[in-house]
Amino acid sequence: MRTVIAVAWAGVLAAILILSFAQIPSERLPESVRWGFGLGHVPAYGVLAALTLRLLMLFRRSMRYRSAVLATVVATMAVGGLVELLQPAVGRTSDWADIAMNAFGMTVALVCMAVVRGRRAMRRSVSQLPASE
């Protein structure tokens, strides 16, 4: 399982980097397509954050959940920030809206994972209650 998640994480990171530095002539694209590219940040960084958190919890079993979430936030935002800082070097523009979309995708993923984690914990605690007769 660790290997599958590690490979998926590397694939998502590679896809983000390739798409972030690809020479896409955005000024020639219709506005709706450009808006779609912007929305692509949400699922991309959501999946990156989810896989990062899962990897941290698998490989660093001694790490507390809150520490893993904080490390995930820092790592995901560092990737997004560095991409935006480096894009002008390849002729692309940096945009604060992209960073906001990255943060939104990451937040949605981490909230969803926290809800699932809470539900699992609740089910475990309910299943340990004595059976009523």
PDB file of all heavy atoms in Angstrom, residues 77-105:
ATOM      1  N   MET A  77       1.565  24.033   0.282  1.00  0.00           N
ATOM      2  CA  MET A  77       1.641  25.453  -0.036  1.00  0.00           C
ATOM      3  C   MET A  77       3.043  25.836  -0.519  1.00  0.00           C
ATOM      4  O   MET A  77       3.186  26.738  -1.346  1.00  0.00           O
ATOM      5  CB  MET A  77       1.225  26.307   1.163  1.00  0.00           C
ATOM      6  CG  MET A  77      -0.253  26.161   1.514  1.00  0.00           C
ATOM      7  SD  MET A  77      -1.389  26.357   0.112  1.00  0.00           S
ATOM      8  CE  MET A  77      -1.062  28.039  -0.385  1.00  0.00           C
ATOM      9  N   ALA A  78       4.071  25.143  -0.039  1.00  0.00           N
ATOM     10  CA  ALA A  78       5.432  25.406  -0.525  1.00  0.00           C
ATOM     11  C   ALA A  78       5.552  25.022  -2.003  1.00  0.00           C
ATOM     12  O   ALA A  78       6.138  25.770  -2.794  1.00  0.00           O
ATOM     13  CB  ALA A  78       6.450  24.636   0.315  1.00  0.00           C
ATOM     14  N   VAL A  79       4.984  23.888  -2.376  1.00  0.00           N
ATOM     15  CA  VAL A  79       5.014  23.479  -3.783  1.00  0.00           C
ATOM     16  C   VAL A  79       4.286  24.518  -4.633  1.00  0.00           C
ATOM     17  O   VAL A  79       4.803  24.994  -5.654  1.00  0.00           O
ATOM     18  CB  VAL A  79       4.383  22.079  -3.974  1.00  0.00           C
ATOM     19  CG1 VAL A  79       4.141  21.781  -5.445  1.00  0.00           C
ATOM     20  CG2 VAL A  79       5.257  21.008  -3.359  1.00  0.00           C
ATOM     21  N   GLY A  80       3.077  24.891  -4.218  1.00  0.00           N
ATOM     22  CA  GLY A  80       2.298  25.872  -4.973  1.00  0.00           C
ATOM     23  C   GLY A  80       2.986  27.223  -5.063  1.00  0.00           C
ATOM     24  O   GLY A  80       3.003  27.858  -6.120  1.00  0.00           O
ATOM     25  N   GLY A  81       3.565  27.668  -3.953  1.00  0.00           N
ATOM     26  CA  GLY A  81       4.257  28.952  -3.934  1.00  0.00           C
ATOM     27  C   GLY A  81       5.496  28.953  -4.808  1.00  0.00           C
ATOM     28  O   GLY A  81       5.742  29.913  -5.553  1.00  0.00           O
ATOM     29  N   LEU A  82       6.282  27.880  -4.732  1.00  0.00           N
ATOM     30  CA  LEU A  82       7.485  27.797  -5.566  1.00  0.00           C
ATOM     31  C   LEU A  82       7.144  27.743  -7.050  1.00  0.00           C
ATOM     32  O   LEU A  82       7.820  28.362  -7.870  1.00  0.00           O
ATOM     33  CB  LEU A  82       8.315  26.573  -5.171  1.00  0.00           C
ATOM     34  CG  LEU A  82       9.107  26.726  -3.883  1.00  0.00           C
ATOM     35  CD1 LEU A  82       9.738  25.391  -3.483  1.00  0.00           C
ATOM     36  CD2 LEU A  82      10.183  27.784  -4.030  1.00  0.00           C
ATOM     37  N   VAL A  83       6.079  27.011  -7.373  1.00  0.00           N
ATOM     38  CA  VAL A  83       5.653  26.956  -8.775  1.00  0.00           C
ATOM     39  C   VAL A  83       5.311  28.363  -9.265  1.00  0.00           C
ATOM     40  O   VAL A  83       5.739  28.782 -10.339  1.00  0.00           O
ATOM     41  CB  VAL A  83       4.455  25.991  -8.950  1.00  0.00           C
ATOM     42  CG1 VAL A  83       3.739  26.229 -10.260  1.00  0.00           C
ATOM     43  CG2 VAL A  83       4.925  24.552  -8.850  1.00  0.00           C
ATOM     44  N   GLU A  84       4.550  29.100  -8.480  1.00  0.00           N
ATOM     45  CA  GLU A  84       4.159  30.456  -8.890  1.00  0.00           C
ATOM     46  C   GLU A  84       5.366  31.383  -8.983  1.00  0.00           C
ATOM     47  O   GLU A  84       5.421  32.242  -9.865  1.00  0.00           O
ATOM     48  CB  GLU A  84       3.110  31.031  -7.935  1.00  0.00           C
ATOM     49  CG  GLU A  84       1.759  30.361  -8.035  1.00  0.00           C
ATOM     50  CD  GLU A  84       1.155  30.387  -9.432  1.00  0.00           C
ATOM     51  OE1 GLU A  84       1.241  31.433 -10.111  1.00  0.00           O
ATOM     52  OE2 GLU A  84       0.611  29.357  -9.853  1.00  0.00           O
ATOM     53  N   LEU A  85       6.339  31.218  -8.093  1.00  0.00           N
ATOM     54  CA  LEU A  85       7.547  32.046  -8.152  1.00  0.00           C
ATOM     55  C   LEU A  85       8.404  31.729  -9.376  1.00  0.00           C
ATOM     56  O   LEU A  85       9.037  32.619  -9.945  1.00  0.00           O
ATOM     57  CB  LEU A  85       8.389  31.853  -6.889  1.00  0.00           C
ATOM     58  CG  LEU A  85       7.901  32.563  -5.637  1.00  0.00           C
ATOM     59  CD1 LEU A  85       8.750  32.148  -4.436  1.00  0.00           C
ATOM     60  CD2 LEU A  85       7.920  34.065  -5.815  1.00  0.00           C
ATOM     61  N   LEU A  86       8.422  30.469  -9.782  1.00  0.00           N
ATOM     62  CA  LEU A  86       9.302  30.050 -10.879  1.00  0.00           C
ATOM     63  C   LEU A  86       8.653  30.143 -12.259  1.00  0.00           C
ATOM     64  O   LEU A  86       9.361  30.123 -13.267  1.00  0.00           O
ATOM     65  CB  LEU A  86       9.786  28.621 -10.632  1.00  0.00           C
ATOM     66  CG  LEU A  86      10.678  28.429  -9.402  1.00  0.00           C
ATOM     67  CD1 LEU A  86      10.978  26.961  -9.184  1.00  0.00           C
ATOM     68  CD2 LEU A  86      11.964  29.231  -9.538  1.00  0.00           C
ATOM     69  N   GLN A  87       7.344  30.255 -12.325  1.00  0.00           N
ATOM     70  CA  GLN A  87       6.687  30.310 -13.630  1.00  0.00           C
ATOM     71  C   GLN A  87       7.154  31.460 -14.524  1.00  0.00           C
ATOM     72  O   GLN A  87       7.292  31.262 -15.736  1.00  0.00           O
ATOM     73  CB  GLN A  87       5.165  30.356 -13.464  1.00  0.00           C
ATOM     74  CG  GLN A  87       4.569  28.989 -13.276  1.00  0.00           C
ATOM     75  CD  GLN A  87       3.064  29.006 -13.194  1.00  0.00           C
ATOM     76  OE1 GLN A  87       2.450  30.008 -12.845  1.00  0.00           O
ATOM     77  NE2 GLN A  87       2.450  27.881 -13.515  1.00  0.00           N
ATOM     78  N   PRO A  88       7.438  32.652 -14.003  1.00  0.00           N
ATOM     79  CA  PRO A  88       7.941  33.712 -14.901  1.00  0.00           C
ATOM     80  C   PRO A  88       9.251  33.344 -15.603  1.00  0.00           C
ATOM     81  O   PRO A  88       9.544  33.858 -16.679  1.00  0.00           O
ATOM     82  CB  PRO A  88       8.129  34.912 -13.970  1.00  0.00           C
ATOM     83  CG  PRO A  88       7.157  34.683 -12.864  1.00  0.00           C
ATOM     84  CD  PRO A  88       7.151  33.191 -12.665  1.00  0.00           C
ATOM     85  N   ALA A  89      10.024  32.440 -15.028  1.00  0.00           N
ATOM     86  CA  ALA A  89      11.287  32.033 -15.658  1.00  0.00           C
ATOM     87  C   ALA A  89      11.065  31.265 -16.957  1.00  0.00           C
ATOM     88  O   ALA A  89      11.968  31.191 -17.797  1.00  0.00           O
ATOM     89  CB  ALA A  89      12.099  31.175 -14.693  1.00  0.00           C
ATOM     90  N   VAL A  90       9.851  30.727 -17.136  1.00  0.00           N
ATOM     91  CA  VAL A  90       9.558  29.987 -18.373  1.00  0.00           C
ATOM     92  C   VAL A  90       8.516  30.726 -19.218  1.00  0.00           C
ATOM     93  O   VAL A  90       7.893  30.143 -20.093  1.00  0.00           O
ATOM     94  CB  VAL A  90       9.088  28.542 -18.089  1.00  0.00           C
ATOM     95  CG1 VAL A  90      10.199  27.730 -17.460  1.00  0.00           C
ATOM     96  CG2 VAL A  90       7.831  28.518 -17.253  1.00  0.00           C
ATOM     97  N   GLY A  91       8.330  31.996 -18.937  1.00  0.00           N
ATOM     98  CA  GLY A  91       7.425  32.805 -19.754  1.00  0.00           C
ATOM     99  C   GLY A  91       5.966  32.757 -19.334  1.00  0.00           C
ATOM    100  O   GLY A  91       5.102  33.225 -20.063  1.00  0.00           O
ATOM    101  N   ARG A  92       5.673  32.193 -18.188  1.00  0.00           N
ATOM    102  CA  ARG A  92       4.298  32.161 -17.690  1.00  0.00           C
ATOM    103  C   ARG A  92       4.167  33.243 -16.628  1.00  0.00           C
ATOM    104  O   ARG A  92       5.147  33.775 -16.136  1.00  0.00           O
ATOM    105  CB  ARG A  92       3.976  30.783 -17.066  1.00  0.00           C
ATOM    106  CG  ARG A  92       4.256  29.626 -17.967  1.00  0.00           C
ATOM    107  CD  ARG A  92       3.088  28.882 -18.557  1.00  0.00           C
ATOM    108  NE  ARG A  92       1.840  28.870 -17.881  1.00  0.00           N
ATOM    109  CZ  ARG A  92       1.246  27.786 -17.430  1.00  0.00           C
ATOM    110  NH1 ARG A  92       1.839  26.609 -17.547  1.00  0.00           N
ATOM    111  NH2 ARG A  92       0.061  27.853 -16.876  1.00  0.00           N
ATOM    112  N   THR A  93       2.954  33.570 -16.262  1.00  0.00           N
ATOM    113  CA  THR A  93       2.755  34.615 -15.257  1.00  0.00           C
ATOM    114  C   THR A  93       2.387  34.001 -13.910  1.00  0.00           C
ATOM    115  O   THR A  93       1.769  32.943 -13.847  1.00  0.00           O
ATOM    116  CB  THR A  93       1.626  35.571 -15.679  1.00  0.00           C
ATOM    117  OG1 THR A  93       0.433  34.816 -15.867  1.00  0.00           O
ATOM    118  CG2 THR A  93       1.985  36.310 -16.951  1.00  0.00           C
ATOM    119  N   SER A  94       2.791  34.677 -12.849  1.00  0.00           N
ATOM    120  CA  SER A  94       2.396  34.288 -11.499  1.00  0.00           C
ATOM    121  C   SER A  94       1.060  34.928 -11.184  1.00  0.00           C
ATOM    122  O   SER A  94       0.755  36.008 -11.683  1.00  0.00           O
ATOM    123  CB  SER A  94       3.428  34.771 -10.476  1.00  0.00           C
ATOM    124  OG  SER A  94       4.641  34.099 -10.678  1.00  0.00           O
ATOM    125  N   ASP A  95       0.273  34.258 -10.358  1.00  0.00           N
ATOM    126  CA  ASP A  95      -1.053  34.773 -10.054  1.00  0.00           C
ATOM    127  C   ASP A  95      -1.438  34.380  -8.634  1.00  0.00           C
ATOM    128  O   ASP A  95      -1.383  33.204  -8.262  1.00  0.00           O
ATOM    129  CB  ASP A  95      -2.055  34.202 -11.063  1.00  0.00           C
ATOM    130  CG  ASP A  95      -3.409  34.875 -11.008  1.00  0.00           C
ATOM    131  OD1 ASP A  95      -3.596  35.792 -10.193  1.00  0.00           O
ATOM    132  OD2 ASP A  95      -4.273  34.470 -11.800  1.00  0.00           O
ATOM    133  N   TRP A  96      -1.829  35.374  -7.836  1.00  0.00           N
ATOM    134  CA  TRP A  96      -2.286  35.110  -6.473  1.00  0.00           C
ATOM    135  C   TRP A  96      -3.543  34.254  -6.470  1.00  0.00           C
ATOM    136  O   TRP A  96      -3.776  33.479  -5.547  1.00  0.00           O
ATOM    137  CB  TRP A  96      -2.538  36.414  -5.724  1.00  0.00           C
ATOM    138  CG  TRP A  96      -1.270  37.089  -5.307  1.00  0.00           C
ATOM    139  CD1 TRP A  96      -0.680  38.167  -5.907  1.00  0.00           C
ATOM    140  CD2 TRP A  96      -0.411  36.715  -4.227  1.00  0.00           C
ATOM    141  NE1 TRP A  96       0.484  38.486  -5.256  1.00  0.00           N
ATOM    142  CE2 TRP A  96       0.673  37.617  -4.217  1.00  0.00           C
ATOM    143  CE3 TRP A  96      -0.449  35.707  -3.271  1.00  0.00           C
ATOM    144  CZ2 TRP A  96       1.700  37.528  -3.290  1.00  0.00           C
ATOM    145  CZ3 TRP A  96       0.578  35.633  -2.343  1.00  0.00           C
ATOM    146  CH2 TRP A  96       1.629  36.537  -2.361  1.00  0.00           C
ATOM    147  N   ALA A  97      -4.364  34.383  -7.508  1.00  0.00           N
ATOM    148  CA  ALA A  97      -5.588  33.572  -7.589  1.00  0.00           C
ATOM    149  C   ALA A  97      -5.245  32.087  -7.682  1.00  0.00           C
ATOM    150  O   ALA A  97      -5.965  31.248  -7.137  1.00  0.00           O
ATOM    151  CB  ALA A  97      -6.433  34.003  -8.776  1.00  0.00           C
ATOM    152  N   ASP A  98      -4.148  31.759  -8.350  1.00  0.00           N
ATOM    153  CA  ASP A  98      -3.718  30.361  -8.429  1.00  0.00           C
ATOM    154  C   ASP A  98      -3.352  29.833  -7.047  1.00  0.00           C
ATOM    155  O   ASP A  98      -3.700  28.700  -6.687  1.00  0.00           O
ATOM    156  CB  ASP A  98      -2.522  30.211  -9.370  1.00  0.00           C
ATOM    157  CG  ASP A  98      -2.894  30.395 -10.829  1.00  0.00           C
ATOM    158  OD1 ASP A  98      -4.098  30.430 -11.141  1.00  0.00           O
ATOM    159  OD2 ASP A  98      -1.974  30.517 -11.654  1.00  0.00           O
ATOM    160  N   ILE A  99      -2.647  30.636  -6.275  1.00  0.00           N
ATOM    161  CA  ILE A  99      -2.280  30.224  -4.919  1.00  0.00           C
ATOM    162  C   ILE A  99      -3.531  30.046  -4.069  1.00  0.00           C
ATOM    163  O   ILE A  99      -3.633  29.092  -3.286  1.00  0.00           O
ATOM    164  CB  ILE A  99      -1.298  31.235  -4.285  1.00  0.00           C
ATOM    165  CG1 ILE A  99       0.028  31.191  -5.053  1.00  0.00           C
ATOM    166  CG2 ILE A  99      -1.086  30.944  -2.802  1.00  0.00           C
ATOM    167  CD1 ILE A  99       1.034  32.227  -4.627  1.00  0.00           C
ATOM    168  N   ALA A 100      -4.506  30.925  -4.240  1.00  0.00           N
ATOM    169  CA  ALA A 100      -5.769  30.796  -3.504  1.00  0.00           C
ATOM    170  C   ALA A 100      -6.503  29.513  -3.903  1.00  0.00           C
ATOM    171  O   ALA A 100      -7.055  28.811  -3.038  1.00  0.00           O
ATOM    172  CB  ALA A 100      -6.653  32.012  -3.748  1.00  0.00           C
ATOM    173  N   MET A 101      -6.506  29.183  -5.193  1.00  0.00           N
ATOM    174  CA  MET A 101      -7.153  27.949  -5.648  1.00  0.00           C
ATOM    175  C   MET A 101      -6.410  26.724  -5.111  1.00  0.00           C
ATOM    176  O   MET A 101      -7.035  25.730  -4.736  1.00  0.00           O
ATOM    177  CB  MET A 101      -7.204  27.903  -7.175  1.00  0.00           C
ATOM    178  CG  MET A 101      -8.060  28.989  -7.787  1.00  0.00           C
ATOM    179  SD  MET A 101      -9.764  28.902  -7.282  1.00  0.00           S
ATOM    180  CE  MET A 101     -10.414  28.027  -8.675  1.00  0.00           C
ATOM    181  N   ASN A 102      -5.089  26.791  -5.056  1.00  0.00           N
ATOM    182  CA  ASN A 102      -4.308  25.695  -4.471  1.00  0.00           C
ATOM    183  C   ASN A 102      -4.708  25.492  -3.012  1.00  0.00           C
ATOM    184  O   ASN A 102      -4.936  24.365  -2.568  1.00  0.00           O
ATOM    185  CB  ASN A 102      -2.804  25.999  -4.531  1.00  0.00           C
ATOM    186  CG  ASN A 102      -2.283  26.181  -5.929  1.00  0.00           C
ATOM    187  OD1 ASN A 102      -2.946  25.868  -6.908  1.00  0.00           O
ATOM    188  ND2 ASN A 102      -1.081  26.716  -6.032  1.00  0.00           N
ATOM    189  N   ALA A 103      -4.779  26.587  -2.272  1.00  0.00           N
ATOM    190  CA  ALA A 103      -5.135  26.511  -0.849  1.00  0.00           C
ATOM    191  C   ALA A 103      -6.552  25.985  -0.667  1.00  0.00           C
ATOM    192  O   ALA A 103      -6.821  25.193   0.247  1.00  0.00           O
ATOM    193  CB  ALA A 103      -4.984  27.888  -0.202  1.00  0.00           C
ATOM    194  N   PHE A 104      -7.464  26.397  -1.537  1.00  0.00           N
ATOM    195  CA  PHE A 104      -8.845  25.930  -1.442  1.00  0.00           C
ATOM    196  C   PHE A 104      -8.915  24.421  -1.692  1.00  0.00           C
ATOM    197  O   PHE A 104      -9.567  23.685  -0.939  1.00  0.00           O
ATOM    198  CB  PHE A 104      -9.730  26.685  -2.439  1.00  0.00           C
ATOM    199  CG  PHE A 104     -11.162  26.257  -2.408  1.00  0.00           C
ATOM    200  CD1 PHE A 104     -11.967  26.545  -1.318  1.00  0.00           C
ATOM    201  CD2 PHE A 104     -11.716  25.558  -3.471  1.00  0.00           C
ATOM    202  CE1 PHE A 104     -13.295  26.144  -1.277  1.00  0.00           C
ATOM    203  CE2 PHE A 104     -13.037  25.152  -3.451  1.00  0.00           C
ATOM    204  CZ  PHE A 104     -13.829  25.442  -2.345  1.00  0.00           C
ATOM    205  N   GLY A 105      -8.248  23.934  -2.720  1.00  0.00           N
ATOM    206  CA  GLY A 105      -8.237  22.501  -3.007  1.00  0.00           C
ATOM    207  C   GLY A 105      -7.641  21.700  -1.865  1.00  0.00           C
ATOM    208  O   GLY A 105      -8.167  20.653  -1.474  1.00  0.00           O
TER     209      GLY A 105
END
